[in-house]
Amino acid sequence: MHIFSNKGHDLNLTGSPSNEIQTIDFPKQISLVPSDFMGVKPKLLKKEGDSVIKGQPIYFDKNDPNVMFTAFCSGKISEIVFGERRTIQTIKISTNSSTEEVLFPSHALVDVKNIDKSKVMEILTSSGLWPCIRRRPFSKIAETNKMPKSIFITTQSTAPFSPNLSILCDNLHIDSLQAGIDALHVLTGVSINMVLPKKFMNEKIMSLKNIKSHTFEGKHPSGNVGFHIATIDPIENKDDVVWYISIQDLNAIGILFLEGKIDNKKIITIGGLSAESKNKHFFIYRGSLVSDLKVSETSRGYKIISGDPLSGNIISQDDSISFYDETVSFIKDEFEREFMGWLNPGLHKYSLSRTFLSSLFFKKNKQLTSAMNGSVRTIIPIGAIEKMCVLNVLPTMLLKSIIAEDIEMMEELGLYECSPEDFSLCSFVDASKMDIMGIVQKGLDFIEMEG
């Protein structure tokens, strides 16, 4: 199936990552951040000063005690940072060179499809790789007691500075991908969908079995899994469940079943820095800190974002890269107020409307800053956010129903298909300066709690 969207917009930003790939040094410290996993209530299994080995459980989810969160590397727990009401914010592990790790049963590729379903579940939940699988609605970790009606594998994101799918494929293994697919098929028995960019060709991907291949075309956010699900296998109501997983995490699951080991590496990108040589792909260890990327000298005066510039979260040099993020973005953190700027023709403004003359020069890359260029205003329904929303919903009406806490209207307007990332461009273009992504998340939290 081929899906196409004529809505959205591709941001033309300076600092796109090159195809060069660099492996960072083994980190001296890694961090586990429970808040990376929305809805998880962590219960510690270790305390400060305890020694841990790679793959050993550090905490589990009180909502589902079978789901373990394990150490990405061996070392010693140097600090556990608590927040308000003793919520666990960060678990810091000082790593060592020990090669000791927790091992799991290994299988030949042809045998993966014959593993018992309960054994697949046990291996995934005890290894710490179950959180790689997320669900819609609500974009949370998949529930172990509720199987999906289908699974989607995400490949190429259309967000700014995202990893190049060709680079990912060059560093993934066909057997591992196939083993991951077979394991998920044994567990669920449902169709597994992989959605690729139009005209993308790769022998590894094309030779995979037990999947349904689709293609997509269009501007961002046409690469979002929310658009793919809504078009290929829509979520009709709150009882419909669809799982999704990134192609890199699928590869990690395959390695787990083939080799019996946890793969703690992934590819990310850096984008947005003025020093073009720093904008590239990196092989990192999960839980690595931004400082391990060694870009501190060239990142002064920037905001650091774990994720893409539109939907990521602001972090610092001493924070780890979020578990699900595959991009670290840098945005200039400076703003100089212009005298009578509203009279300026705006040749250097980034504009998606025709307010400024710069709208005539879309192809020219620009460098954005963190400035909002205005304060929050009342909702201005000029149709701007409708042009950026690729989902089959009415964004303005949906936002109003969320603000009014009208659950029935939220359901009718399709909130179950939505996730904040699907509205990142809407937040970007909104003349009202509303936190649209935050409003959508608030609506999802409310409807889940009350539903």
Side-chain angles (χ1 to χ4, degrees):
M1 180 178 181
H2 178 69
I3 58 178
F4 170 77
S5 173
N6 57 4
K7 294 183 179 181
H9 175 73
D10 289 329
L11 267 69
N12 298 315
L13 305 180
T14 58
S16 294
S18 68
N19 288 339
E20 180 186 354
I21 187 166
Q22 176 183 332
T23 301
I24 70 167
D25 298 333
F26 186 76
K28 296 180 180 179
Q29 177 184 300
I30 61 169
S31 293
L32 280 66
V33 183
S35 60
D36 285 347
F37 311 100
M38 190 166 49
V40 166
K41 294 183 178 180
K43 175 67 175 179
L44 283 171
L45 295 170
K46 298 290 180 180
K47 61 183 184 299
E48 284 189 14
D50 284 354
S51 295
V52 296
I53 62 174
K54 179 183 172 184
Q56 190 171 12
I58 305 298
Y59 65 94
F60 65 87
D61 183 10
K62 292 179 183 178
N63 295 321
D64 192 343
N66 292 319
V67 178
M68 298 292 169
F69 296 81
T70 60
F72 305 132
C73 302
S74 298
K76 179 180 288 188
I77 297 179
S78 58
E79 185 182 5
I80 299 176
V81 181
F82 293 92
E84 295 181 0
R85 297 185 177 182
R86 297 284 292 175
T87 56
I88 304 167
Q89 292 186 334
T90 309
I91 303 166
K92 299 180 180 180
I93 299 177
S94 297
T95 62
N96 57 37
S97 57
S98 172
T99 57
E100 187 180 5
E101 61 182 303
V102 177
L103 297 178
F104 299 86
S106 60
H107 308 81
L109 177 59
V110 294
D111 295 329
V112 173
K113 63 183 70 174
N114 298 319
I115 305 174
D116 185 72
K117 176 179 177 179
S118 61
K119 193 63 179 177
V120 172
M121 176 70 77
E122 179 188 339
I123 292 173
L124 286 174
T125 53
S126 61
S127 66
L129 291 188
W130 182 264
C132 294
I133 307 170
R134 287 179 283 177
R135 61 182 167 95
R136 291 286 182 99
F138 308 119
S139 300
K140 294 183 177 181
I141 295 175
E143 297 171 303
T144 57
N145 60 352
K146 193 170 186 178
M147 293 296 106
K149 64 173 184 173
S150 61
I151 299 174
F152 281 75
I153 301 169
T154 62
T155 55
Q156 178 66 69
S157 172
T158 49
F161 308 148
S162 295
N164 187 317
L165 181 57
S166 296
I167 302 297
L168 297 183
C169 289
D170 289 343
N171 291 276
L172 301 177
H173 303 287
I174 177 65
D175 286 351
S176 301
L177 292 173
Q178 188 62 63
I181 291 169
D182 291 344
L184 291 179
H185 192 266
V186 167
L187 182 63
T188 62
V190 301
S191 63
I192 300 176
N193 303 275
M194 180 177 285
V195 189
L196 299 161
K198 184 183 179 183
K199 297 181 180 179
F200 177 81
M201 298 295 293
N202 183 277
E203 290 184 5
K204 288 182 183 178
I205 302 299
M206 300 306 165
S207 63
L208 293 173
K209 301 174 182 178
N210 292 329
I211 63 168
K212 292 183 178 180
S213 294
H214 310 270
T215 55
F216 75 88
E217 181 182 8
K219 300 174 182 178
H220 182 64
S222 63
N224 282 12
V225 69
F227 173 57
H228 303 162
I229 294 172
T231 310
I232 297 170
D233 191 12
I235 295 172
E236 303 292 344
N237 53 61
K238 64 181 179 181
D239 295 321
D240 275 356
V241 176
V242 175
W243 287 359
Y244 63 101
I245 183 173
S246 75
I247 193 169
Q248 291 200 77
D249 290 338
L250 179 72
N251 186 72
I253 288 176
I255 292 173
L256 174 66
F257 282 92
L258 292 180
E259 302 179 13
K261 298 180 179 181
I262 299 173
D263 180 28
N264 65 345
K265 288 186 178 180
K266 67 186 293 188
I267 295 175
I268 67 158
T269 51
I270 280 184
L273 288 171
S274 298
E276 292 293 332
S277 62
K278 298 292 185 180
N279 299 316
K280 54 189 174 185
H281 291 68
F282 285 83
F283 249 126
I284 70 163
Y285 295 83
R286 292 185 187 270
S288 295
L289 310 184
V290 175
S291 56
D292 292 325
L293 300 174
K294 302 187 185 306
V295 293
S296 56
E297 293 181 1
T298 56
S299 62
R300 291 169 185 164
Y302 287 84
K303 278 192 182 296
I304 307 171
I305 301 171
S306 180
D308 68 83
L310 291 171
S311 61
N313 296 307
I314 297 174
I315 58 174
S316 71
Q317 290 277 354
D318 298 324
D319 290 329
S320 62
I321 300 157
S322 182
F323 184 86
Y324 296 113
D325 290 335
E326 296 181 347
T327 300
V328 177
S329 307
F330 291 82
I331 297 292
K332 279 282 188 181
D333 188 24
E334 59 184 32
F335 175 64
E336 294 182 6
R337 185 175 294 278
E338 299 178 37
F339 177 68
M340 298 182 71
W342 54 278
L343 284 176
N344 194 314
L347 288 172
H348 302 290
K349 299 283 188 184
Y350 198 107
S351 175
L352 273 72
S353 66
R354 304 206 171 176
T355 308
F356 298 109
L357 287 179
S358 60
S359 61
L360 301 174
F361 310 103
F362 271 141
K363 293 184 179 180
K364 186 176 180 180
N365 290 343
K366 292 182 172 60
Q367 185 176 57
L368 298 182
T369 70
S370 58
M372 286 184 63
N373 295 306
S375 57
V376 178
R377 302 150 190 157
T378 55
I379 294 179
I380 306 173
I382 57 176
I385 64 176
E386 279 74 12
K387 294 177 182 177
M388 298 297 122
C389 183
V390 296
L391 300 180
N392 187 26
V393 298
L394 300 172
T396 301
M397 296 301 295
L398 179 60
L399 294 174
K400 288 181 177 180
S401 69
I402 294 172
I403 294 170
E405 297 186 345
D406 187 338
I407 292 180
E408 188 174 332
M409 186 59 68
M410 291 183 216
E411 292 179 332
E412 289 183 8
L413 290 170
L415 182 61
Y416 288 124
E417 287 191 333
C418 301
S419 181
E421 67 177 8
D422 299 320
F423 294 83
S424 58
L425 263 178
C426 297
S427 289
F428 181 73
V429 304
D430 180 38
S432 307
K433 312 291 182 181
M434 291 190 301
D435 178 16
I436 294 178
M437 292 176 61
I439 294 173
V440 172
Q441 185 60 60
K442 185 180 293 185
L444 289 167
D445 293 340
F446 182 76
I447 203 172
E448 183 180 26
M449 180 179 64
E450 297 293 330

